[in-house]
Amino acid sequence: MSECTHNCETCSLNCGSAGQSEPKDLHEKPNELSKIKKVIAVVSGKGGVGKSSITSMLTVLMQRKGYSTAILDADITGPSIPRSFGIKGRATGSEMGIFPITSKLGTQVMSINLLLENATDPVVWRGPVIAGVVTQFWTDVIWKDVDFMFVDMPPGTGDVPLTVFQSLPVDGIIIVASPQELVSMIVEKAVKMAGMLNIPILGIVENMSYFTCPNCNEKHSVFGESHIEELAEKYSIKEISKLPINNKISAACDAGLIELFEGDWLDNIADSLEKLI
């Protein structure tokens, strides 16, 4: 059975959608007490490329620019955002909704780990249930006066990314990759999915792009030569950032001190996000 591609011009299905003047709005309404201006999804074609770290760093950069920030952790089976921000404990709520936990410097965070009895408890749920929880993080959580909400997505192009793109008013995505040739191929899948759903790509970040020798200051391509420029040119992605292999970043995440990180690698993307307001 054919599936809907959400592109009526190339679709052979006779579903009644073709010819309609306006497509049906599938976006879920946020909690009536929420106020959210811009929603940015951070995606990756595969796991292990540092997507959550990039999400955290971009959030911190926008916070440093004076904006109110929030993170919706949509990576239900592999949540890491609370630890990066040093957030512990469990979220609370009332009859009006669930309250996110605020980091030391003011970022609002909601993650499944803030609802579990123990942070190490596994989430053994099927895809539709996980997607439903992500939707509830949008509809049931009270997000107060957020300028930029970053959605830390699970890797790939499955249930949760599709749910986020269809249910949330995503203003654009940031793609995170690493230098390997195989990763470049997988990243293209995420790029094409965004195109199918008419979500603009705001930038691409190549993590673990190189290692700078502390002795000679020479850059070494540990994971192979970069292909990020070719990919960006192919899909007309304007903003490119390259992050080095830097143990200070991982150490800051592990210690819950990501809000104190130092580095200008993502400044260009942060500047472009500011133009959305």
Side-chain angles (χ1 to χ4, degrees), residues 13 88 91 115 136 139 146 157 197 208 215 258-259 276:
L13 297 177
K88 300 178 181 179
L115 300 175
Q136 284 185 289
T139 60
V146 176
T157 56
L197 298 173
M208 301 176 285
N215 297 320
I258 193 61
E259 290 176 297
L276 297 177

Side-chain angles (χ1 to χ4, degrees), residues 51-247:
K51 168 183 50 59
S52 296
S53 298
I54 302 302
T55 301
S56 301
M57 294 166 71
L58 283 172
T59 302
V60 172
L61 288 176
M62 299 315 295
Q63 184 189 78
R64 290 175 182 175
K65 287 177 170 288
Y67 296 101
S68 173
T69 57
I71 298 180
L72 190 160
D73 190 354
D75 195 351
I76 302 298
T77 59
S80 58
I81 294 297
R83 179 166 183 172
S84 296
F85 284 81
I87 295 175
K88 300 178 181 179
R90 300 179 68 181
T92 60
S94 69
E95 67 277 1
M96 299 301 296
I98 304 171
F99 303 117
I101 293 183
T102 303
S103 70
K104 294 182 180 68
L105 298 184
T107 292
Q108 300 173 56
V109 175
M110 177 49 63
S111 170
I112 194 64
N113 265 12
L114 302 181
L115 300 175
L116 300 176
E117 185 173 350
N118 299 300
T120 55
D121 288 345
V123 176
V124 189
W125 299 338
R126 294 191 182 275
V129 177
I130 293 175
V133 171
V134 172
T135 302
Q136 284 185 289
F137 282 176
W138 173 258
T139 60
D140 295 359
V141 174
I142 301 173
W143 302 98
K144 294 185 178 179
D145 298 323
V146 176
D147 293 318
F148 287 95
M149 170 180 283
F150 291 89
V151 182
D152 185 22
M153 304 272 272
T157 56
D159 284 340
V160 173
L162 183 60
T163 295
V164 170
F165 288 154
Q166 290 184 330
S167 301
L168 276 61
V170 178
D171 294 283
I173 68 171
I174 304 294
I175 297 176
V176 182
S178 57
Q180 296 98 320
E181 182 74 32
L182 176 63
V183 173
S184 296
M185 179 194 71
I186 296 173
V187 166
E188 289 199 55
K189 295 179 182 292
V191 172
K192 291 179 179 178
M193 180 180 185
M196 289 171 61
L197 298 173
N198 297 316
I199 306 293
I201 301 171
L202 304 177
I204 184 168
V205 178
E206 185 175 76
N207 197 20
M208 301 176 285
S209 182
Y210 57 89
F211 170 74
T212 302
C213 176
N215 297 320
C216 66
N217 207 36
E218 184 177 348
K219 293 183 178 180
H220 301 274
S221 301
V222 179
F223 293 110
E225 294 300 320
S226 172
H227 299 279
I228 190 173
E229 285 88 358
E230 302 167 17
L231 192 63
E233 182 178 0
K234 181 176 181 179
Y235 292 101
S236 301
I237 302 172
K238 295 182 179 180
E239 297 298 336
I240 302 173
S241 292
K242 294 184 178 182
L243 265 71
I245 298 172
N246 188 320
N247 61 355

